[in-house]
Amino acid sequence: MIKQLYSYIGNYKKYVMLCVMFVMVDVVCELMIPLLMSKIVDEGIPSKDIYFIVKNGIFMVLLAAISIMAGGLNMRFSAEASQGFAANLRRALFDRVQAFSFSNIDKFSTASLVTRLTSDVTQMQNTLLMCLRMLLRAPLMLVCAIFFAVSINARLSVVIFIAVSLLIAGIFLVLRPAEQKFAEMQKKIDNLNGTVQENLTAIRVVKAFVRERYEKQKFKKSNDALTEAAINAGNLISLIMPLMMFVLNGATLIVIWFGGRMVAGHEMGAGSLISFISYLMHILMSIMIFSMIFILFARAEACAKRILEVVNTKIDITDNDDTDHKREINSPLVRKGKIEFRHVDFKYAEGGRNVLSDINFSIEPGEYVAIVGGTGSGKTTLVSLIPRLYDVTKGQVLIDGIDVREYSLKQLRDGIGMVLQKNVLFSGTIRENLMWGNENATQEDIEKAASYAQAHDFIISFPDGYDTRLGQGGVNVSGGQKQRLCIARALLKKPPILILDDSTSAIDTATEARIRKSFSENLKDTTVLIITQRISSVKNADKIVVLDDGRVVGIGKHDELFENNRLYREICNSQQEGLVI
Amino acid sequence: MAENRKDARSPMRGPGSMPISFEKPRDIKTTMARILAYLRYSKLQIAIVVAALLTSSGSMLAGSYFLKPLINEYILPGNLRGLAFALLCLGVLYLVGVCAAYIQTRFTIRVAQKTINILRSELFDKMQELPLEYFDTHTHGELMSLYTNDIDNVQMMLEQSLTQLFSSILMFFGSIAVMIMLSPALFSITALVLALMIFISTKIGKKSRGYFQNQQKILGELNGYIEEIIGGLKEVKVFNHEEAAKESFYKINESFRQVATKANFLAGIIMPVMVNLNNICYAAIAVMGGILTLKGSFDIGSLAAFLQYSRQIGQPINQITNQINNILAAMAGAERIFNVMDQKPEVDGGNVTLVSVEKNEDGTFSEVPGDVKTGIKAWRIIEPDGKARLEPLRGDVRFYNVTFSYDNKKLVLKNVSLYAKPGQMIAFVGSTGAGKTTITNLLNRFYDIKEGLITFDGIDIKRIKKESLRRSLGMVLQDTHLFTGTVLDNIRYGNLNATDEECINAAKAVGADSFIMRLPQGYHTVISKDGANLSQGQRQLIAVARAYVASPPVMILDEATSSIDTRTERLVEKGMAALMKERTVFVIAHRLSTVRNADAILVIENGEIIERGSHEELLEQKGRYYELYTGREILE
């Protein structure tokens, strides 16, 4: 995992190296200072050599100056490296997500994908930054400080080794059970958040059943459980600082005792003793910082897993050829718009049940075809197979006599205009949104498409006309207007095949009739597939396909079906006739 | 001695990390006072914390001072016996300090967690009392972040920031005092460097703040773009828009990288500058102290102690700035929390309550205790003269000239009058946004009307206690929400006093029993994530059973079957029929089968009732209903 993550640092690796270098300089400079100080005390003062003292003082200031530079550069390069890493990671994620097929998309929820691209990446960036700024120092500091301490007095250093082992053992003893306690606490946090979330989404139910008091009690339970877990975990953690202080203070005392005897016996200077204590502190501190690695990494690990899960997701619909470019050139184009389903079976997940079974029918170029059936009967799935939003499990879908898998995805989808059930507009002007359909569209093209979709009139009624800005998700237009804009956007592609998946539900019947009329006048050669709940939209179709539980149970015109097909009649009578508003 | 009091639990907040936010609270004083008021429950513990804090800081300060006598009086003269004794004293001092530090953190955590517990409960309890309008105007994300971010920040403040700020200030001024005592001359150097440190850190801080705000701005753009594209990912695919999306993304991503790198750099640079200014100070003191010592006006022991203090003094400055930032973030969060707590709760001024009664032989009623199940309920009305009167619960609903608007701008209902006699089924028909759901929302007082009158069994619903009103109304909504828990728990949600048997009977009555029995653990199957493991129809059936077990005299079915396919609908239909029997029913539906049997169909358009009548009557009228029903358009 770390290896893969490391590869995302990519072209910023040189900054990591520079960081290591400058941290090293910084650490050495910082550790030299106590050594120089001890020289002042032990050599300068006894020999009353003011020149020596000042010289060493200037030397210390110089070291501090170098240290500022090194430290500053480290800050700069660590920022470069970590932000570069984050940018690469985000880019890799974004690229991957753009390559996702529909079933890949379905696997992750939108919210979870957004979290992975935003806060998870930030967390990773922070982790690397912390590593380069603080954690990197710890091992270097440890090694250098031990070196200096030993060089001052090897015998006294025994105390250091004992203190270090004690501290490591202590931290280990505290952190190991802490991990479990924190996991428990996390579970309680999730539980509490889940309770709140559920309460928020179901607030109407809570109020309708007067269950406020019950909900309060439920919350109190999770709240108390969380508090208990947090106190448990906190109690363990609150051992760490005292433990550290205990070891540090104890070691200091022992060093002063033995060191003091040496100083008294003139085996070493008082200055050396002071700097030795200083190194002792540095050593124990760096172990403390080092122990944070575990906590830091435990947090980062969860994020890293979530990120890599996306990056490593296998894309299940791709162009067969690896060389996309070549494929695009060789790919056939969708020209006429003849569609054939040949004994198609489909299921969303392996081992799941068939959502579509043995679908076998064809649609001629220029036909207006309606697909009807109850919720869950497979209508949306059926049309999704045409632009390869999903791949068939068995059988074949052909356009103009060629299997859809033979087309490049780009050419295939360029030939099919599709308005999804849950349609989305993006922030930007109306014009920009419509031009998603064709980025080279002229004003004339745009207006034409808009008027076919009965959108032109309301667009020009806005003060800014086609340059009206839409908020995110098209919040400032009504549902019906949104659907009409989406239809216009799809029309701009001038596709041989147009698919409307329940995309006129919010448009009033009169306007919808007008759209239908303009289609039949202006899009004579376009094959139109429409999924709808309204029988009025279906009546005049060239062909009506009735689906039930993933099977085609009837194909024909309204009158024949109404006569012969029980399900269709039922749908007409119970669901459709008028009353679908 | 422990110069680096960093909290092991939050490595992210150490020096060098990014400031979390620069959001400024509006009124620190009031907010702080309000938070501190929550601490009143733990006065004793707080006294302990303060005492422990003073002890541990004191021991740390004294410990460093000990170096002076140790070196001057024992080590240099070679008095080993004295040294042993002095070290023993120092050891005891340290031990006291360590114990005090332990006691302090432990109690702080306890106090903080208890306080947060109360705060969280109060917040949640308050939220339960807010009117629906509040939830309409605030997103779930916004409200969730109160629990996930804001409370966390407050907790961080109580658990760490306050105590650390306090101890940092103590250490800072304590060190200064001891340093002045040791050598006023040397302290003048320290003071100079300290002033420089404070000056530089505020300078850099100000500059980095600007960069940081810039970073936040572009981060908002970046996250917004990610959210939008991922939200519309399917659209992107259908329109072959991947490459274009990538291109725009790369641009924002790159400009964010550049700005963030700068912000990170500036925020980080404070650290080495401060540390090394401290080192320069250390060097200057070593030199000056050395010269003073060899001139005889200072001594090595004092110098050692002074150097120790000067090493420590930089730390509190960093800590103080860090903690103040954390406290400000916590205050901003606390303000948002208190803002919710200060919202006006749902108005509930009614004093008419629903009680269980039994029928006397003479036909009058008398009240029985709530736990006695008589199956008969009545309104207990307090007359102006203070006497209580019982009025049997029947389920008669009337609207008189009701006009309503959600936002005081656009009228959703205009002068609506209607009646439903006990046991009648009333269907609402009309296009989306016509106001059908609003009518039912007004009936159970999810929203309050400003004009007109709604009565329930002849009583103005504003006079009825909300709890009683809603208990007498059942609701099945279009989007069913189930709760984490067993199937049985979910059915019982309708009536907490229902026995297992009653719940199962309800499930049987609505036709849910057969599928529930097929679930892995039957009625004890745990439903998770809003019933993700059940089909839409199954969830709906559980919701119907839930309403059934509540057994209210009036039912509201809001598009309850709209998202169910015909097959499942047939299944649910039976349940629905059971639910509607012998009740006053308001149904919003777009299926003919449901609507046709209604006693009265009300056609609503633009907030007005334009037609009322039975199916046949309305067809005869050849009005709007006829149009909707036949699907005939005026267009041709």
Side-chain angles (χ1 to χ4, degrees):
Chain A
M1 183 164 81
I2 289 181
K3 204 170 146 196
Q4 193 186 354
L5 285 173
Y6 185 70
S7 71
Y8 287 112
I9 301 179
N11 45 340
Y12 299 95
K13 271 178 194 153
K14 58 174 184 282
Y15 293 115
V16 174
M17 295 306 146
L18 285 170
C19 277
V20 176
M21 213 172 86
F22 285 111
V23 166
M24 211 133 47
V25 173
D26 189 14
V27 164
V28 172
C29 288
E30 203 185 322
L31 289 178
M32 288 282 282
I33 289 175
L35 203 67
L36 290 172
M37 187 278 306
S38 74
K39 275 195 180 155
I40 292 180
V41 172
D42 293 344
E43 294 169 32
I45 296 178
S47 62
K48 300 198 188 262
D49 184 348
I50 293 188
Y51 172 72
F52 180 83
I53 293 174
V54 172
K55 189 185 82 184
N56 276 298
I58 290 174
F59 214 37
M60 277 157 88
V61 173
L62 271 177
L63 282 175
I66 296 174
S67 190
I68 288 190
M69 300 252 282
L73 285 169
N74 174 37
M75 291 297 151
R76 153 129 218 117
F77 295 132
S78 57
E80 288 279 0
S82 66
Q83 291 294 353
F85 170 63
N88 282 344
L89 210 51
R90 249 190 312 262
R91 195 179 157 134
L93 276 166
F94 195 84
D95 283 358
R96 195 60 174 185
V97 170
Q98 290 307 313
F100 268 13
S101 72
F102 270 43
S103 53
N104 292 137
I105 299 172
D106 297 339
K107 216 184 95 194
F108 299 94
S109 74
T110 304
S112 109
L113 278 179
V114 170
T115 312
R116 289 166 213 241
L117 264 118
T118 53
S119 59
D120 282 349
V121 170
T122 307
Q123 177 87 39
M124 296 306 294
Q125 181 264 324
N126 252 320
T127 306
L128 182 63
L129 189 74
M130 292 294 294
C131 280
L132 294 179
R133 284 187 178 176
M134 297 188 58
L135 299 181
L136 198 57
R137 283 174 76 88
L140 286 172
M141 183 77 92
L142 186 70
V143 173
C144 296
I146 287 180
F147 175 77
F148 281 118
V150 171
S151 72
I152 288 178
N153 193 316
R155 270 197 293 154
L156 264 186
S157 308
V158 177
V159 180
I160 289 182
F161 289 109
I162 295 171
V164 165
S165 2
L166 271 178
L167 186 61
I168 290 177
I171 290 175
F172 185 73
L173 282 179
V174 172
L175 279 188
R176 243 174 66 121
E179 197 177 325
Q180 188 214 339
K181 300 258 165 173
F182 274 104
E184 255 165 55
M185 186 174 99
Q186 189 57 46
K187 228 189 262 162
K188 299 278 157 45
I189 292 177
D190 292 344
N191 190 1
L192 181 116
N193 288 345
T195 309
V196 178
Q197 185 87 53
E198 212 165 75
N199 179 271
L200 284 176
T201 41
I203 192 74
R204 274 163 201 268
V205 179
V206 172
K207 288 201 177 289
F209 284 104
V210 203
R211 287 291 168 267
E212 290 93 340
R213 226 171 300 147
Y214 175 78
E215 291 289 311
K216 285 177 190 174
Q217 280 160 10
K218 201 158 80 177
F219 180 81
K220 192 171 179 334
K221 252 192 233 158
S222 355
N223 191 14
D224 289 348
L226 170 58
T227 301
E228 201 194 310
I231 291 180
N232 272 339
N235 280 347
L236 260 179
I237 285 298
S238 54
L239 278 171
I240 283 198
M241 271 323 289
L243 176 82
M244 162 77 188
M245 278 162 70
F246 181 78
V247 173
L248 178 60
N249 293 337
T252 311
L253 288 178
I254 294 168
V255 166
I256 294 180
W257 170 243
F258 288 109
R261 280 165 54 147
M262 291 179 197
V263 173
H266 299 291
E267 289 171 58
M268 101 182 202
S272 300
L273 181 60
I274 298 166
S275 55
F276 192 90
I277 293 174
S278 196
Y279 291 129
L280 175 68
M281 277 200 219
H282 276 117
I283 290 166
L284 296 184
M285 262 345 282
S286 50
I287 289 177
M288 282 301 286
I289 295 176
F290 210 61
S291 72
M292 296 194 323
I293 281 192
F294 297 105
I295 296 162
L296 193 61
F297 278 17
R299 282 191 192 188
E301 196 189 356
C303 297
K305 269 190 192 147
R306 275 200 297 267
I307 289 174
L308 292 184
E309 189 190 356
V310 174
V311 180
N312 297 336
T313 294
K314 200 172 161 282
I315 310 276
D316 48 15
I317 294 184
T318 50
D319 288 332
N320 288 336
D321 247 333
D322 287 335
T323 46
D324 281 8
H325 203 65
K326 196 173 118 215
R327 174 138 189 110
E328 234 173 84
I329 298 165
N330 296 336
S331 163
L333 289 172
V334 178
R335 283 177 213 280
K336 296 204 195 87
K338 180 179 160 69
I339 304 167
E340 274 171 274
F341 287 86
R342 283 194 196 154
H343 301 287
V344 168
D345 279 3
F346 178 78
K347 48 181 136 196
Y348 281 100
E350 225 165 290
R353 61 182 203 94
N354 272 351
V355 180
L356 295 175
S357 317
D358 198 30
I359 302 288
N360 198 29
F361 69 93
S362 61
I363 297 168
E364 295 307 315
E367 270 189 334
Y368 181 86
V369 177
I371 299 171
V372 296
T375 319
S377 59
K379 298 174 303 226
T380 298
T381 312
L382 181 75
V383 297
S384 301
L385 297 178
I386 303 169
R388 275 190 82 197
L389 303 181
Y390 300 94
D391 267 343
V392 294
T393 309
K394 232 164 100 183
Q396 260 185 316
V397 179
L398 300 102
I399 293 181
D400 296 344
I402 305 167
D403 191 312
V404 288
R405 285 166 291 196
E406 296 288 314
Y407 293 87
S408 81
L409 283 176
K410 184 168 184 328
Q411 308 289 22
L412 177 68
R413 289 181 187 162
D414 268 346
I416 300 168
M418 189 161 183
V419 183
L420 299 171
Q421 199 169 11
K422 246 195 190 165
N423 42 44
V424 179
L425 292 170
F426 297 85
S427 46
T429 63
I430 289 182
R431 186 196 314 281
E432 281 161 12
N433 265 287
L434 294 184
M435 278 167 76
W436 272 53
N438 174 7
E439 51 194 46
N440 302 318
T442 62
Q443 178 65 18
E444 202 185 334
D445 294 335
I446 293 174
E447 279 180 26
K448 208 153 105 192
S451 50
Y452 289 171
Q454 304 301 317
H456 180 69
D457 290 345
F458 81 78
I459 295 174
I460 55 169
S461 78
F462 293 144
D464 295 329
Y466 282 88
D467 294 312
T468 304
R469 291 202 72 80
L470 299 175
Q472 191 178 337
V475 279
N476 39 358
V477 286
S478 76
Q481 292 174 335
K482 207 168 127 182
Q483 286 185 334
R484 280 182 269 169
L485 288 176
C486 289
I487 294 173
R489 180 173 64 180
L491 285 178
L492 256 183
K493 270 188 174 179
K494 295 191 185 137
I497 299 171
L498 181 67
I499 301 172
L500 306 177
D501 184 359
D502 206 7
S503 23
T504 53
S505 55
I507 302 175
D508 64 88
T509 23
T511 311
E512 202 213 335
R514 263 185 253 125
I515 293 176
R516 224 164 40 238
K517 201 166 154 229
S518 99
F519 275 16
S520 65
E521 282 163 10
N522 302 307
L523 303 176
K524 282 200 189 78
D525 299 328
T526 309
T527 311
V528 178
L529 266 89
I530 175 165
I531 296 178
T532 178
Q533 302 270 345
R534 274 186 205 157
I535 230 63
S536 53
S537 330
V538 167
K539 268 185 179 161
N540 303 318
D542 297 316
K543 201 178 264 169
I544 299 167
V545 179
V546 187
L547 278 184
D548 186 34
D549 200 17
R551 285 172 196 280
V552 176
V553 295
I555 294 186
K557 288 198 182 254
H558 175 74
D559 295 336
E560 331 164 7
L561 283 172
F562 196 79
E563 206 133 297
N564 306 322
N565 192 295
R566 196 183 55 81
L567 183 70
Y568 183 73
R569 202 166 45 239
E570 215 170 85
I571 292 173
C572 284
N573 284 337
S574 78
Q575 263 197 55
Q576 310 292 335
E577 255 324 13
L579 279 188
V580 175
I581 320 237
Chain B
M1 283 254 158
E3 51 175 341
N4 243 332
R5 286 185 52 119
K6 265 174 227 110
D7 190 277
R9 240 175 317 166
S10 54
M12 301 323 227
R13 284 175 189 246
S17 75
M18 286 194 291
I20 309 285
S21 78
F22 282 111
E23 196 182 6
K24 281 222 179 82
R26 257 164 292 158
D27 185 355
I28 303 180
K29 235 167 112 189
T30 323
T31 312
M32 193 51 135
R34 231 173 134 174
I35 294 182
L36 293 181
Y38 279 87
L39 297 173
R40 65 180 178 271
Y41 303 108
S42 355
K43 273 187 196 135
L44 182 66
Q45 277 110 315
I46 290 170
I48 294 174
V49 166
V50 172
L53 208 84
L54 287 171
T55 313
S56 71
S57 304
S59 99
M60 256 188 272
L61 279 173
S64 302
Y65 188 77
F66 244 84
L67 268 179
K68 178 181 167 180
L70 277 179
I71 291 178
N72 283 350
E73 285 163 37
Y74 308 115
I75 296 180
L76 290 181
N79 177 357
L80 288 182
R81 272 186 75 124
L83 180 63
F85 180 71
L87 284 180
L88 203 67
C89 292
L90 187 56
V92 172
L93 184 69
Y94 280 155
L95 205 62
V96 170
V98 168
C99 293
Y102 177 66
I103 290 171
Q104 181 248 310
T105 17
R106 219 184 141 116
F107 274 84
T108 310
I109 288 175
R110 183 160 284 267
V111 170
Q113 288 294 346
K114 292 262 149 125
T115 309
I116 288 299
N117 181 292
I118 297 170
L119 194 64
R120 229 176 353 224
S121 266
E122 278 188 15
L123 176 63
F124 187 83
D125 289 359
K126 179 67 192 205
M127 249 169 59
Q128 298 309 298
E129 282 150 23
L130 292 178
L132 271 183
E133 273 157 340
Y134 192 82
F135 298 94
D136 294 343
T137 47
H138 296 81
T139 64
H140 288 177
E142 221 175 295
L143 296 174
M144 276 309 291
S145 111
L146 292 171
Y147 294 88
T148 50
N149 298 326
D150 297 338
I151 292 252
D152 259 17
N153 283 341
V154 175
Q155 181 194 328
M156 191 65 81
M157 175 182 87
L158 292 176
E159 225 173 73
Q160 293 176 28
S161 307
L162 285 182
T163 50
Q164 284 190 11
L165 184 67
F166 187 50
S167 78
S168 297
I169 292 174
L170 271 183
M171 289 300 287
F172 183 68
F173 288 107
S175 302
I176 287 180
V178 181
M179 283 158 107
I180 292 177
M181 233 165 63
L182 283 168
S183 165
L186 284 184
F187 176 71
S188 62
I189 299 177
T190 316
L192 204 73
V193 177
L194 276 181
L196 194 64
M197 275 168 124
I198 291 171
F199 174 73
I200 290 182
S201 77
T202 43
K203 254 272 149 63
I204 299 181
K206 220 176 245 163
K207 198 158 182 209
S208 95
R209 203 159 301 195
Y211 274 100
F212 197 74
Q213 267 157 3
N214 203 2
Q215 178 195 319
Q216 290 307 91
K217 207 185 108 224
I218 300 189
L219 182 67
E221 248 172 70
L222 178 72
N223 289 352
Y225 189 76
I226 289 173
E227 222 177 288
E228 184 162 29
I229 289 297
I230 291 189
L233 200 50
K234 293 195 169 182
E235 225 78 20
V236 172
K237 309 241 65 160
V238 166
F239 283 96
N240 276 329
H241 212 69
E242 295 96 328
E243 292 309 318
K246 279 187 199 170
E247 229 166 84
S248 317
F249 173 77
Y250 293 160
K251 258 188 225 145
I252 310 178
N253 194 28
E254 176 57 21
S255 70
F256 175 72
R257 187 189 67 77
Q258 286 173 5
V259 174
T261 303
K262 274 204 193 99
N264 255 195
F265 168 53
L266 265 162
I269 201 155
I270 268 192
M271 255 306 274
V273 170
M274 298 288 270
V275 166
N276 287 299
L277 278 179
N278 205 4
N279 283 339
I280 289 174
C281 177
Y282 187 85
I285 286 166
V287 171
M288 284 305 291
I291 293 172
L292 285 179
T293 306
L294 62 87
K295 292 249 163 90
S297 58
F298 208 47
D299 55 82
I300 292 189
S302 304
L303 180 60
F306 200 98
L307 283 173
Q308 194 75 309
Y309 285 111
S310 84
R311 273 208 91 84
Q312 286 168 10
I313 194 111
Q315 209 54 48
I317 297 185
N318 279 338
Q319 282 290 344
I320 290 170
T321 31
N322 272 342
Q323 300 311 345
I324 286 180
N325 272 339
N326 288 349
I327 290 174
L328 288 182
M331 287 291 129
E335 268 176 10
R336 273 189 295 269
I337 293 169
F338 290 139
N339 178 30
V340 175
M341 290 195 185
D342 293 343
Q343 293 293 321
K344 278 205 193 97
E346 268 185 288
V347 192
D348 190 7
N351 59 5
V352 176
T353 51
L354 200 61
V355 292
S356 288
V357 292
E358 56 186 10
K359 203 164 186 173
N360 299 329
E361 277 164 24
D362 58 357
T364 59
F365 298 95
S366 57
E367 200 179 328
V368 298
D371 49 351
V372 180
K373 286 184 185 169
T374 57
I376 319 173
K377 295 225 156 111
W379 300 108
R380 186 167 179 277
I381 305 165
I382 315 263
E383 297 292 354
D385 58 9
K387 278 190 193 146
R389 172 168 71 84
L390 291 174
E391 173 80 36
L393 174 68
R394 290 173 293 133
D396 176 286
V397 174
R398 283 159 205 267
F399 278 55
Y400 298 98
N401 308 97
V402 171
T403 297
F404 178 75
S405 156
Y406 286 102
D407 52 6
N408 288 325
K409 278 182 231 139
K410 200 174 148 243
L411 288 183
V412 182
L413 291 182
K414 295 168 207 153
N415 207 21
V416 167
S417 295
L418 62 91
Y419 61 88
K421 292 176 189 159
Q424 269 195 337
M425 172 180 166
I426 309 291
F428 295 117
V429 165
S431 43
T432 330
K436 295 167 294 184
T437 303
T438 306
I439 293 181
T440 61
N441 280 342
L442 295 181
L443 180 54
N444 60 14
R445 288 188 71 199
F446 276 175
Y447 304 92
D448 269 336
I449 51 169
K450 300 195 178 68
E451 270 175 70
L453 175 70
I454 303 173
T455 61
F456 195 125
D457 289 341
I459 310 162
D460 179 351
I461 57 167
K462 283 188 180 167
R463 287 183 58 204
I464 304 176
K465 215 168 165 30
K466 263 192 184 161
E467 182 176 337
S468 296
L469 175 69
R470 289 182 186 159
R471 271 187 206 284
S472 61
L473 294 163
M475 264 194 131
V476 182
L477 303 170
Q478 180 175 11
D479 39 345
T480 40
H481 290 294
L482 301 177
F483 296 87
T484 308
T486 64
V487 173
L488 209 53
D489 290 342
N490 268 286
I491 296 176
R492 191 172 296 135
Y493 205 84
N495 177 3
L496 296 179
N497 297 321
T499 59
D500 286 4
E501 205 191 332
E502 282 169 314
C503 292
I504 294 170
N505 282 341
K508 279 184 182 151
V510 304
D513 182 68
S514 57
F515 95 79
I516 294 173
M517 290 310 284
R518 267 182 273 125
L519 293 174
Q521 273 97 38
Y523 281 90
H524 298 285
T525 308
V526 172
I527 293 172
S528 59
K529 280 200 193 147
D530 215 353
N533 39 356
L534 300 175
S535 78
Q536 174 73 19
Q538 292 170 334
R539 293 212 301 264
Q540 196 64 261
L541 276 176
I542 293 182
V544 172
R546 179 169 69 187
Y548 188 90
V549 86
S551 188
V554 178
M555 273 305 308
I556 298 166
L557 306 174
D558 187 352
E559 308 248 11
T561 56
S562 67
S563 48
I564 299 178
D565 60 277
T566 30
R567 191 177 300 252
T568 323
E569 203 202 355
R570 251 171 264 143
L571 203 74
V572 181
E573 226 163 53
K574 209 182 112 216
M576 288 291 182
L579 195 61
M580 293 189 221
K581 221 162 87 187
E582 291 171 14
R583 287 183 225 279
T584 310
V585 179
F586 292 96
V587 54
I588 300 172
H590 60 217
R591 295 202 183 168
L592 191 60
S593 53
T594 338
V595 170
R596 191 151 44 186
N597 304 323
D599 295 300
I601 298 168
L602 274 61
V603 184
I604 301 174
E605 193 111 322
N606 292 323
E608 284 170 287
I609 297 179
I610 54 170
E611 285 167 32
R612 174 176 178 131
S614 70
H615 176 69
E616 286 74 21
E617 287 166 9
L618 288 178
L619 280 187
E620 204 119 306
Q621 279 183 20
K622 300 227 161 152
R624 179 69 182 148
Y625 183 79
Y626 175 80
E627 268 171 36
L628 289 167
Y629 174 63
T630 55
R632 223 152 270 170
E633 282 306 330
I634 325 139
L635 185 72
E636 279 88 11

